[in-house]
C-alpha cells in the first residue's frame, strides 16, 4: 500500500470517527477527529459555526444532551493532497434523528473538508456543511 493510499484511509477514518462519536453520544470521540484549531461550520443547514476544540466540544456535548436518537452516514469520499501534510476533500452526509422533546430532523448535505496531518495522525482542519436537499431542522435546538 502506498503512503498516499494509507493517508487517504486515515482521513476517511477520521470522518467516520466523527460520525460514530456523534451517534454514540460520545462528544470526545467525535472531537478526536478534529485538529485543535479546527472550524465546524453548519450555518448553511441552519446551525452555527464553531472554532476550536472548546466551541466544537460544547456543541457536541449539547447535541448529546438534546438528541435521543440519530445517525450519520458518510459516503462518496474524495480526497486530494495539497502536500504531504495537507489535503482537502468532500463527502456526502445523510443524518436523521429525533430530539428528546420529540422533534425530528433530517439533513442530506455535502461536507467540504480540509485535513491536516498532526502528531496524532490526520485530523479534520475545517468542515463546511452545505445542504443537498432542503434540511428539516424544525425543533432541533442544541
Amino acid at each position: 500500500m502506498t503512503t498516499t493510499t494509507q493517508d487517504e484511509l486515515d482521513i476517511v477514518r477520521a470522518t467516520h470517527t466523527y460520525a460514530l462519536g456523534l451517534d454514540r453520544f460520545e462528544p470526545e470521540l467525535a472531537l478526536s477527529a478534529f485538529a485543535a484549531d479546527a472550524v465546524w461550520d453548519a450555518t448553511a443547514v441552519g446551525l452555527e459555526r464553531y472554532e476550536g476544540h472548546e466551541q466544537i466540544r460544547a456543541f457536541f456535548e449539547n447535541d448529546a444532551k438534546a438528541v435521543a436518537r440519530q445517525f450519520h452516514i458518510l459516503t462518496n469520499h474524495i480526497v486530494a493532497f495539497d502536500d504531504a501534510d495537507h489535503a482537502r476533500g468532500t463527502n456526502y452526509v445523510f443524518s436523521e434523528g429525533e430530539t428528546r422533546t420529540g422533534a425530528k430532523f433530517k439533513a442530506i448535505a455535502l461536507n467540504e473538508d480540509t485535513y491536516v496531518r498532526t502528531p496524532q495522525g490526520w485530523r479534520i482542519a475545517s468542515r463546511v456543511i452545505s445542504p443537498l436537499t432542503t434540511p428539516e431542522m424544525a425543533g432541533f435546538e442544541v
Side-chain angles (χ1 to χ4, degrees), residues 19 25 48:
F25 304 105
E48 301 289 327

Side-chain angles (χ1 to χ4, degrees), residues 22 25 58-68 70 105 140 142:
L22 290 178
F25 304 105
F59 172 73
F60 290 167
E61 288 173 348
N62 289 336
D63 178 82
K65 291 175 190 169
V67 175
Q70 70 182 347
F105 58 90
F140 183 78
V142 176

Side-chain angles (χ1 to χ4, degrees), residues 18-26 70-73 95-96:
Y18 155 80
L20 181 63
L22 290 178
D23 295 344
R24 292 180 72 178
F25 304 105
E26 296 179 20
Q70 70 182 347
F71 73 87
H72 293 75
I73 297 173
S95 176
E96 189 170 348

Side-chain angles (χ1 to χ4, degrees), residues 34-48:
F34 290 85
D37 59 350
V39 172
W40 186 91
D41 184 348
T43 54
V45 294
L47 298 175
E48 301 289 327

